Amino acid sequence: MQGSPVPEPAVAVGEDPRSYARLMSAVYDATMAGHRAPARPREVIGESWQRMMASGIRPDEHTPPVVETAPLELLRRSSGLLEVLDEISHGLESLVADGENILVVADAQGRVLWRSGSPSVLSNADRLGFVEGANWGEGAVGTNAIGTALVSQRAVQVFSAEHFLRSHHPWTCAGAPIKDPRTGQVIGVVDVSGPAPTVHPTTIALVDAVARLAESHLRQEHDRTLNRLRALAAPILARMGSPALAVDTDGWVAAVDAMPLHNRILLPEQMGPGRVWVATLGMCAVEPLPGGWLVRLASDDTGSDGADVVSRVTLDFSNPDTPSLCLTGEFGSWRHDLSLRHAEILCVLAGSPEGRSAPQLAEDLYGDRSRVVTVRAEMSRLRKQFAGLLAAQPYRFAGSIRLEVRRPDDPRMLLPPSTAPAIRAARMAGA
């Protein structure tokens, strides 16, 4: 992958798959041998190959992927994908109807939860270890549409010799991530795989469209759940006559009375009835509701900003797929998965104890100091979501916070989907 610049592939996959396969085979052989290749692989493929070589995976050694020991049904139920399985299967049935392709749905760790296809294609998949329960993340089986879609957080087609493992070259696959519309976190991948000659340029577009359709279904189902909780809670709130709100089990607000409007509040990880510190509200009295919680402001509230209660904050970037924030204080601890943008901001601030101004953050995140309006809007959301955590002018972690940052062992895996200049610089500095 080093040396003089080489051109991008001269042939697109959809124009002439055979010519592209021959070209990529030559590119692959030269790259793996450390020689100058006749062309560069596509950027998403080249970046994946670099990760694989850095991790020590050998392209000619195929080890069947590890099959999860946890019960498959438990993984399926906890994935958040069960309710969109029919939507996915119906949307992609045309691609598996001819018997040459296999449809796979994997979870956020790349574990195969469901697969369907003809007996012959399933038998071929068995020989690669492409079975239910198997881990098809990049770290397990190299560049592939499931694992690479998870790392890049975008739809990916991997054709023939673009796979890092040579044993996968007879296959082509197209995968698209599915995000939970409530959190923005990737919860799984839908993938269509089959023999390399069956590749078609529209496959990835169809797979991506079905993933977006699944997200839409999840959003609609969540709206229905909140509406049911709202109908139940509204008369309760009306009778109480004191500041309170009703939230679902993830903290999304269904109804509110005599309090500022919130879309979502951060609930403690170990939620239960009784007195609970809620980051955006302070000390609260919590009671269970069917499908959620009734949250009332406690009469002896210890403070509104939370800075006196939250004493330790852990930013955890060690898992590239799920950056998270853990707050620990007098009343317990809770964990929150971060969106990519909020993870980028907190990562930058963690590396700048003296703080960053809005123009500096705009340059850190977008490479454009003029985007201060966007930065201030994001910071406003962050400061509302985590009251007492961040100070302003300049933006920084509050002085009372003890901050710990956990980074991935490989610096290049720091927030892999991020293109923010500051994150790219942090990867290079740690490499």
Tab-separated table of all heavy atoms in Angstrom, residues 318-373:
chain	number	residue	atom	x	y	z
A	318	SER	N	-12.848	2.456	23.686
A	318	SER	CA	-12.121	1.208	23.445
A	318	SER	C	-12.843	0.283	22.481
A	318	SER	O	-12.214	-0.487	21.764
A	318	SER	CB	-11.869	0.487	24.774
A	318	SER	OG	-13.097	0.210	25.439
A	319	ASN	N	-14.185	0.331	22.470
A	319	ASN	CA	-14.957	-0.436	21.483
A	319	ASN	C	-15.280	0.490	20.324
A	319	ASN	O	-16.072	1.420	20.465
A	319	ASN	CB	-16.246	-0.970	22.106
A	319	ASN	CG	-17.016	-1.870	21.160
A	319	ASN	OD1	-16.885	-1.774	19.930
A	319	ASN	ND2	-17.832	-2.745	21.701
A	320	PRO	N	-14.687	0.271	19.137
A	320	PRO	CA	-14.890	1.201	18.021
A	320	PRO	C	-16.344	1.351	17.607
A	320	PRO	O	-16.720	2.373	17.036
A	320	PRO	CB	-14.060	0.574	16.895
A	320	PRO	CG	-13.083	-0.322	17.572
A	320	PRO	CD	-13.774	-0.829	18.793
A	321	ASP	N	-17.170	0.341	17.882
A	321	ASP	CA	-18.560	0.371	17.431
A	321	ASP	C	-19.477	1.157	18.364
A	321	ASP	O	-20.515	1.654	17.924
A	321	ASP	CB	-19.107	-1.058	17.290
A	321	ASP	CG	-18.339	-1.864	16.259
A	321	ASP	OD1	-17.908	-1.262	15.257
A	321	ASP	OD2	-18.162	-3.072	16.464
A	322	THR	N	-19.116	1.258	19.650
A	322	THR	CA	-20.040	1.862	20.615
A	322	THR	C	-19.299	2.775	21.584
A	322	THR	O	-19.061	2.407	22.738
A	322	THR	CB	-20.798	0.779	21.407
A	322	THR	OG1	-19.833	-0.118	22.003
A	322	THR	CG2	-21.735	-0.003	20.508
A	323	PRO	N	-18.928	3.983	21.147
A	323	PRO	CA	-18.362	4.940	22.102
A	323	PRO	C	-19.400	5.273	23.168
A	323	PRO	O	-20.594	5.388	22.864
A	323	PRO	CB	-18.039	6.155	21.227
A	323	PRO	CG	-18.935	6.029	20.044
A	323	PRO	CD	-19.085	4.558	19.803
A	324	SER	N	-18.956	5.408	24.415
A	324	SER	CA	-19.919	5.601	25.497
A	324	SER	C	-19.362	6.542	26.552
A	324	SER	O	-18.156	6.827	26.603
A	324	SER	CB	-20.291	4.255	26.135
A	324	SER	OG	-19.164	3.671	26.766
A	325	LEU	N	-20.281	7.013	27.391
A	325	LEU	CA	-19.954	7.897	28.501
A	325	LEU	C	-20.533	7.282	29.767
A	325	LEU	O	-21.712	6.915	29.792
A	325	LEU	CB	-20.569	9.274	28.261
A	325	LEU	CG	-20.423	10.318	29.356
A	325	LEU	CD1	-18.994	10.817	29.417
A	325	LEU	CD2	-21.368	11.480	29.098
A	326	CYS	N	-19.717	7.131	30.800
A	326	CYS	CA	-20.182	6.603	32.085
A	326	CYS	C	-19.962	7.666	33.149
A	326	CYS	O	-18.867	8.211	33.285
A	326	CYS	CB	-19.425	5.328	32.449
A	326	CYS	SG	-19.996	4.574	34.005
A	327	LEU	N	-21.029	7.983	33.863
A	327	LEU	CA	-20.971	8.966	34.941
A	327	LEU	C	-21.146	8.242	36.268
A	327	LEU	O	-22.049	7.422	36.421
A	327	LEU	CB	-22.070	10.017	34.770
A	327	LEU	CG	-22.043	10.819	33.467
A	327	LEU	CD1	-22.986	10.196	32.450
A	327	LEU	CD2	-22.450	12.264	33.713
A	328	THR	N	-20.284	8.555	37.223
A	328	THR	CA	-20.326	7.923	38.535
A	328	THR	C	-20.323	9.002	39.614
A	328	THR	O	-19.555	9.956	39.544
A	328	THR	CB	-19.102	7.005	38.731
A	328	THR	OG1	-19.071	6.034	37.690
A	328	THR	CG2	-19.181	6.288	40.071
A	329	GLY	N	-21.199	8.842	40.581
A	329	GLY	CA	-21.279	9.829	41.650
A	329	GLY	C	-21.904	9.259	42.897
A	329	GLY	O	-21.998	8.039	43.082
A	330	GLU	N	-22.382	10.132	43.737
A	330	GLU	CA	-22.892	9.751	45.051
A	330	GLU	C	-24.061	8.786	44.952
A	330	GLU	O	-24.236	7.911	45.791
A	330	GLU	CB	-23.320	11.021	45.799
A	330	GLU	CG	-23.906	10.769	47.178
A	330	GLU	CD	-24.363	12.058	47.832
A	330	GLU	OE1	-24.065	13.140	47.279
A	330	GLU	OE2	-25.007	11.976	48.889
A	331	PHE	N	-24.887	8.942	43.926
A	331	PHE	CA	-26.112	8.168	43.843
A	331	PHE	C	-26.028	7.023	42.845
A	331	PHE	O	-27.039	6.518	42.386
A	331	PHE	CB	-27.283	9.088	43.491
A	331	PHE	CG	-27.540	10.131	44.529
A	331	PHE	CD1	-27.037	11.407	44.381
A	331	PHE	CD2	-28.241	9.812	45.676
A	331	PHE	CE1	-27.259	12.367	45.355
A	331	PHE	CE2	-28.463	10.768	46.654
A	331	PHE	CZ	-27.962	12.049	46.490
A	332	GLY	N	-24.832	6.600	42.475
A	332	GLY	CA	-24.690	5.470	41.565
A	332	GLY	C	-24.014	5.868	40.268
A	332	GLY	O	-23.359	6.913	40.189
A	333	SER	N	-24.151	5.047	39.256
A	333	SER	CA	-23.509	5.318	37.975
A	333	SER	C	-24.439	4.895	36.852
A	333	SER	O	-25.313	4.042	37.027
A	333	SER	CB	-22.171	4.563	37.862
A	333	SER	OG	-22.380	3.169	37.901
A	334	TRP	N	-24.236	5.491	35.698
A	334	TRP	CA	-25.024	5.122	34.539
A	334	TRP	C	-24.189	5.335	33.285
A	334	TRP	O	-23.267	6.140	33.231
A	334	TRP	CB	-26.333	5.903	34.475
A	334	TRP	CG	-26.212	7.390	34.564
A	334	TRP	CD1	-26.162	8.275	33.542
A	334	TRP	CD2	-26.115	8.164	35.766
A	334	TRP	NE1	-26.058	9.548	34.019
A	334	TRP	CE2	-26.026	9.522	35.373
A	334	TRP	CE3	-26.101	7.844	37.120
A	334	TRP	CZ2	-25.914	10.558	36.286
A	334	TRP	CZ3	-25.994	8.876	38.038
A	334	TRP	CH2	-25.907	10.209	37.618
A	335	ARG	N	-24.530	4.579	32.266
A	335	ARG	CA	-23.776	4.574	31.008
A	335	ARG	C	-24.678	5.038	29.870
A	335	ARG	O	-25.864	4.722	29.838
A	335	ARG	CB	-23.273	3.152	30.717
A	335	ARG	CG	-22.491	2.991	29.409
A	335	ARG	CD	-22.103	1.525	29.211
A	335	ARG	NE	-21.415	1.300	27.953
A	335	ARG	CZ	-22.024	1.106	26.791
A	335	ARG	NH1	-23.349	1.121	26.735
A	335	ARG	NH2	-21.331	0.904	25.690
A	336	HIS	N	-24.101	5.764	28.932
A	336	HIS	CA	-24.867	6.282	27.807
A	336	HIS	C	-24.050	6.122	26.529
A	336	HIS	O	-22.897	6.558	26.461
A	336	HIS	CB	-25.187	7.761	28.035
A	336	HIS	CG	-25.958	8.406	26.924
A	336	HIS	ND1	-27.255	8.061	26.640
A	336	HIS	CD2	-25.610	9.359	26.024
A	336	HIS	CE1	-27.686	8.790	25.630
A	336	HIS	NE2	-26.697	9.578	25.232
A	337	ASP	N	-24.632	5.470	25.511
A	337	ASP	CA	-23.966	5.374	24.207
A	337	ASP	C	-23.987	6.742	23.535
A	337	ASP	O	-25.004	7.449	23.552
A	337	ASP	CB	-24.672	4.350	23.318
A	337	ASP	CG	-24.444	2.926	23.789
A	337	ASP	OD1	-23.439	2.699	24.495
A	337	ASP	OD2	-25.249	2.048	23.449
A	338	LEU	N	-22.876	7.113	22.930
A	338	LEU	CA	-22.723	8.432	22.314
A	338	LEU	C	-22.917	8.362	20.813
A	338	LEU	O	-22.479	7.411	20.157
A	338	LEU	CB	-21.332	8.988	22.611
A	338	LEU	CG	-21.007	9.276	24.075
A	338	LEU	CD1	-19.521	9.543	24.229
A	338	LEU	CD2	-21.817	10.462	24.583
A	339	SER	N	-23.537	9.392	20.262
A	339	SER	CA	-23.549	9.536	18.808
A	339	SER	C	-22.133	9.845	18.346
A	339	SER	O	-21.275	10.265	19.134
A	339	SER	CB	-24.493	10.666	18.384
A	339	SER	OG	-23.967	11.920	18.800
A	340	LEU	N	-21.868	9.641	17.057
A	340	LEU	CA	-20.525	9.889	16.547
A	340	LEU	C	-20.125	11.345	16.767
A	340	LEU	O	-19.003	11.621	17.210
A	340	LEU	CB	-20.455	9.534	15.057
A	340	LEU	CG	-19.108	9.801	14.372
A	340	LEU	CD1	-17.998	8.999	15.038
A	340	LEU	CD2	-19.195	9.477	12.889
A	341	ARG	N	-21.015	12.300	16.477
A	341	ARG	CA	-20.655	13.710	16.628
A	341	ARG	C	-20.361	14.062	18.084
A	341	ARG	O	-19.370	14.740	18.386
A	341	ARG	CB	-21.784	14.591	16.093
A	341	ARG	CG	-21.521	16.077	16.231
A	341	ARG	CD	-20.244	16.497	15.489
A	341	ARG	NE	-20.413	16.483	14.058
A	341	ARG	CZ	-19.463	16.234	13.169
A	341	ARG	NH1	-18.244	15.959	13.591
A	341	ARG	NH2	-19.701	16.252	11.881
A	342	HIS	N	-21.186	13.593	19.012
A	342	HIS	CA	-20.937	13.898	20.420
A	342	HIS	C	-19.662	13.202	20.913
A	342	HIS	O	-18.924	13.759	21.742
A	342	HIS	CB	-22.136	13.493	21.273
A	342	HIS	CG	-23.291	14.434	21.125
A	342	HIS	ND1	-24.502	14.253	21.764
A	342	HIS	CD2	-23.417	15.586	20.412
A	342	HIS	CE1	-25.310	15.249	21.443
A	342	HIS	NE2	-24.683	16.058	20.622
A	343	ALA	N	-19.390	12.008	20.411
A	343	ALA	CA	-18.139	11.329	20.778
A	343	ALA	C	-16.940	12.126	20.279
A	343	ALA	O	-15.927	12.255	20.984
A	343	ALA	CB	-18.133	9.917	20.202
A	344	GLU	N	-17.038	12.658	19.064
A	344	GLU	CA	-15.943	13.475	18.522
A	344	GLU	C	-15.702	14.705	19.391
A	344	GLU	O	-14.546	15.029	19.717
A	344	GLU	CB	-16.287	13.910	17.092
A	344	GLU	CG	-16.272	12.783	16.079
A	344	GLU	CD	-16.858	13.205	14.739
A	344	GLU	OE1	-17.652	14.185	14.707
A	344	GLU	OE2	-16.556	12.565	13.730
A	345	ILE	N	-16.771	15.391	19.757
A	345	ILE	CA	-16.635	16.607	20.565
A	345	ILE	C	-15.982	16.301	21.910
A	345	ILE	O	-15.035	16.976	22.336
A	345	ILE	CB	-18.010	17.267	20.775
A	345	ILE	CG1	-18.545	17.820	19.448
A	345	ILE	CG2	-17.920	18.391	21.808
A	345	ILE	CD1	-19.972	18.308	19.517
A	346	LEU	N	-16.482	15.288	22.596
A	346	LEU	CA	-15.957	14.959	23.917
A	346	LEU	C	-14.514	14.472	23.837
A	346	LEU	O	-13.710	14.739	24.736
A	346	LEU	CB	-16.853	13.920	24.589
A	346	LEU	CG	-18.268	14.405	24.921
A	346	LEU	CD1	-19.104	13.268	25.502
A	346	LEU	CD2	-18.224	15.582	25.899
A	347	CYS	N	-14.191	13.761	22.757
A	347	CYS	CA	-12.807	13.308	22.564
A	347	CYS	C	-11.873	14.503	22.412
A	347	CYS	O	-10.783	14.550	22.999
A	347	CYS	CB	-12.725	12.402	21.343
A	347	CYS	SG	-11.093	11.667	21.068
A	348	VAL	N	-12.290	15.500	21.625
A	348	VAL	CA	-11.476	16.703	21.440
A	348	VAL	C	-11.320	17.448	22.759
A	348	VAL	O	-10.210	17.864	23.133
A	348	VAL	CB	-12.115	17.616	20.377
A	348	VAL	CG1	-11.405	18.964	20.347
A	348	VAL	CG2	-12.053	16.960	18.999
A	349	LEU	N	-12.410	17.623	23.492
A	349	LEU	CA	-12.343	18.366	24.756
A	349	LEU	C	-11.507	17.619	25.801
A	349	LEU	O	-10.832	18.237	26.625
A	349	LEU	CB	-13.748	18.630	25.286
A	349	LEU	CG	-14.623	19.552	24.431
A	349	LEU	CD1	-15.985	19.754	25.085
A	349	LEU	CD2	-13.933	20.891	24.185
A	350	ALA	N	-11.568	16.283	25.756
A	350	ALA	CA	-10.763	15.503	26.702
A	350	ALA	C	-9.277	15.722	26.478
A	350	ALA	O	-8.479	15.657	27.424
A	350	ALA	CB	-11.104	14.017	26.569
A	351	GLY	N	-8.906	16.002	25.234
A	351	GLY	CA	-7.502	16.252	24.916
A	351	GLY	C	-7.105	17.711	25.026
A	351	GLY	O	-5.962	18.062	24.701
A	352	SER	N	-8.041	18.553	25.462
A	352	SER	CA	-7.770	19.997	25.567
A	352	SER	C	-8.250	20.516	26.923
A	352	SER	O	-9.309	21.158	27.010
A	352	SER	CB	-8.475	20.753	24.432
A	352	SER	OG	-8.126	20.228	23.166
A	353	PRO	N	-7.521	20.256	27.997
A	353	PRO	CA	-7.966	20.687	29.342
A	353	PRO	C	-8.185	22.188	29.429
A	353	PRO	O	-9.011	22.649	30.227
A	353	PRO	CB	-6.812	20.231	30.249
A	353	PRO	CG	-6.099	19.167	29.475
A	353	PRO	CD	-6.246	19.533	28.031
A	354	GLU	N	-7.451	22.949	28.606
A	354	GLU	CA	-7.598	24.399	28.652
A	354	GLU	C	-8.866	24.873	27.945
A	354	GLU	O	-9.262	26.035	28.076
A	354	GLU	CB	-6.379	25.077	28.003
A	354	GLU	CG	-6.291	24.927	26.494
A	354	GLU	CD	-5.859	23.565	25.999
A	354	GLU	OE1	-5.576	22.679	26.845
A	354	GLU	OE2	-5.795	23.371	24.770
A	355	GLY	N	-9.515	23.983	27.206
A	355	GLY	CA	-10.766	24.308	26.542
A	355	GLY	C	-10.586	24.692	25.086
A	355	GLY	O	-9.461	24.934	24.611
A	356	ARG	N	-11.704	24.731	24.353
A	356	ARG	CA	-11.699	25.092	22.938
A	356	ARG	C	-12.821	26.104	22.690
A	356	ARG	O	-13.945	25.943	23.185
A	356	ARG	CB	-11.927	23.872	22.040
A	356	ARG	CG	-10.923	22.757	22.230
A	356	ARG	CD	-9.543	23.156	21.765
A	356	ARG	NE	-9.399	23.069	20.308
A	356	ARG	CZ	-8.326	23.501	19.654
A	356	ARG	NH1	-7.339	24.100	20.314
A	356	ARG	NH2	-8.260	23.375	18.346
A	357	SER	N	-12.514	27.118	21.919
A	357	SER	CA	-13.538	28.082	21.530
A	357	SER	C	-14.410	27.480	20.437
A	357	SER	O	-14.077	26.442	19.849
A	357	SER	CB	-12.877	29.358	21.011
A	357	SER	OG	-12.196	29.091	19.788
A	358	ALA	N	-15.535	28.134	20.134
A	358	ALA	CA	-16.422	27.635	19.079
A	358	ALA	C	-15.702	27.581	17.727
A	358	ALA	O	-15.813	26.574	17.008
A	358	ALA	CB	-17.686	28.493	18.998
A	359	PRO	N	-14.941	28.629	17.313
A	359	PRO	CA	-14.207	28.517	16.046
A	359	PRO	C	-13.173	27.399	16.049
A	359	PRO	O	-12.979	26.716	15.035
A	359	PRO	CB	-13.532	29.893	15.902
A	359	PRO	CG	-14.392	30.823	16.703
A	359	PRO	CD	-14.849	30.006	17.876
A	360	GLN	N	-12.504	27.201	17.178
A	360	GLN	CA	-11.521	26.112	17.248
A	360	GLN	C	-12.199	24.752	17.108
A	360	GLN	O	-11.709	23.870	16.389
A	360	GLN	CB	-10.757	26.189	18.570
A	360	GLN	CG	-9.760	27.322	18.648
A	360	GLN	CD	-9.131	27.449	20.025
A	360	GLN	OE1	-9.792	27.237	21.060
A	360	GLN	NE2	-7.849	27.800	20.069
A	361	LEU	N	-13.335	24.570	17.788
A	361	LEU	CA	-14.056	23.311	17.657
A	361	LEU	C	-14.568	23.110	16.233
A	361	LEU	O	-14.582	21.986	15.729
A	361	LEU	CB	-15.227	23.269	18.640
A	361	LEU	CG	-14.969	22.678	20.026
A	361	LEU	CD1	-16.235	22.723	20.862
A	361	LEU	CD2	-14.446	21.246	19.925
A	362	ALA	N	-15.001	24.197	15.589
A	362	ALA	CA	-15.466	24.088	14.202
A	362	ALA	C	-14.340	23.589	13.296
A	362	ALA	O	-14.554	22.753	12.413
A	362	ALA	CB	-15.982	25.435	13.719
A	363	GLU	N	-13.129	24.089	13.541
A	363	GLU	CA	-11.996	23.609	12.756
A	363	GLU	C	-11.657	22.166	13.108
A	363	GLU	O	-11.326	21.355	12.232
A	363	GLU	CB	-10.784	24.511	12.993
A	363	GLU	CG	-9.604	24.198	12.084
A	363	GLU	CD	-8.525	25.252	12.151
A	363	GLU	OE1	-8.566	26.101	13.068
A	363	GLU	OE2	-7.641	25.235	11.281
A	364	ASP	N	-11.752	21.823	14.402
A	364	ASP	CA	-11.478	20.456	14.838
A	364	ASP	C	-12.428	19.450	14.187
A	364	ASP	O	-12.013	18.353	13.807
A	364	ASP	CB	-11.631	20.346	16.363
A	364	ASP	CG	-10.565	21.125	17.122
A	364	ASP	OD1	-9.471	21.322	16.567
A	364	ASP	OD2	-10.847	21.523	18.259
A	365	LEU	N	-13.701	19.823	14.081
A	365	LEU	CA	-14.727	18.882	13.639
A	365	LEU	C	-14.964	18.909	12.137
A	365	LEU	O	-15.228	17.872	11.528
A	365	LEU	CB	-16.048	19.182	14.366
A	365	LEU	CG	-16.022	19.082	15.888
A	365	LEU	CD1	-17.340	19.565	16.464
A	365	LEU	CD2	-15.745	17.649	16.339
A	366	TYR	N	-14.890	20.109	11.542
A	366	TYR	CA	-15.268	20.262	10.134
A	366	TYR	C	-14.147	20.800	9.252
A	366	TYR	O	-14.311	20.868	8.031
A	366	TYR	CB	-16.468	21.218	10.012
A	366	TYR	CG	-17.631	20.847	10.894
A	366	TYR	CD1	-17.926	21.580	12.046
A	366	TYR	CD2	-18.455	19.763	10.581
A	366	TYR	CE1	-18.994	21.243	12.861
A	366	TYR	CE2	-19.527	19.425	11.397
A	366	TYR	CZ	-19.795	20.169	12.538
A	366	TYR	OH	-20.857	19.831	13.334
A	367	GLY	N	-13.038	21.215	9.859
A	367	GLY	CA	-11.990	21.843	9.074
A	367	GLY	C	-12.398	23.205	8.564
A	367	GLY	O	-11.866	23.698	7.567
A	368	ASP	N	-13.354	23.851	9.235
A	368	ASP	CA	-13.911	25.129	8.778
A	368	ASP	C	-14.278	25.960	10.004
A	368	ASP	O	-15.275	25.702	10.676
A	368	ASP	CB	-15.150	24.870	7.916
A	368	ASP	CG	-15.782	26.144	7.377
A	368	ASP	OD1	-15.322	27.247	7.740
A	368	ASP	OD2	-16.746	26.039	6.595
A	369	ARG	N	-13.473	26.976	10.327
A	369	ARG	CA	-13.673	27.782	11.534
A	369	ARG	C	-14.962	28.607	11.485
A	369	ARG	O	-15.399	29.130	12.518
A	369	ARG	CB	-12.482	28.727	11.734
A	369	ARG	CG	-11.194	28.006	12.090
A	369	ARG	CD	-10.044	29.002	12.207
A	369	ARG	NE	-10.198	29.913	13.329
A	369	ARG	CZ	-9.744	29.692	14.543
A	369	ARG	NH1	-9.095	28.565	14.809
A	369	ARG	NH2	-9.918	30.578	15.497
A	370	SER	N	-15.585	28.715	10.315
A	370	SER	CA	-16.785	29.548	10.212
A	370	SER	C	-18.049	28.829	10.680
A	370	SER	O	-19.095	29.465	10.850
A	370	SER	CB	-16.977	30.007	8.759
A	370	SER	OG	-17.307	28.915	7.914
A	371	ARG	N	-17.975	27.523	10.933
A	371	ARG	CA	-19.192	26.763	11.265
A	371	ARG	C	-19.492	26.811	12.768
A	371	ARG	O	-19.765	25.800	13.406
A	371	ARG	CB	-19.061	25.329	10.773
A	371	ARG	CG	-18.946	25.232	9.249
A	371	ARG	CD	-19.009	23.825	8.736
A	371	ARG	NE	-20.277	23.171	9.036
A	371	ARG	CZ	-20.606	21.950	8.620
A	371	ARG	NH1	-19.752	21.272	7.863
A	371	ARG	NH2	-21.760	21.411	8.936
A	372	VAL	N	-19.460	28.024	13.322
A	372	VAL	CA	-19.654	28.173	14.767
A	372	VAL	C	-21.110	27.960	15.167
A	372	VAL	O	-21.393	27.512	16.286
A	372	VAL	CB	-19.158	29.552	15.241
A	372	VAL	CG1	-17.656	29.657	15.101
A	372	VAL	CG2	-19.853	30.675	14.478
A	373	VAL	N	-22.059	28.270	14.276
A	373	VAL	CA	-23.468	28.082	14.614
A	373	VAL	C	-23.768	26.601	14.841
A	373	VAL	O	-24.435	26.222	15.812
A	373	VAL	CB	-24.374	28.662	13.512
A	373	VAL	CG1	-25.840	28.321	13.793
A	373	VAL	CG2	-24.195	30.167	13.410
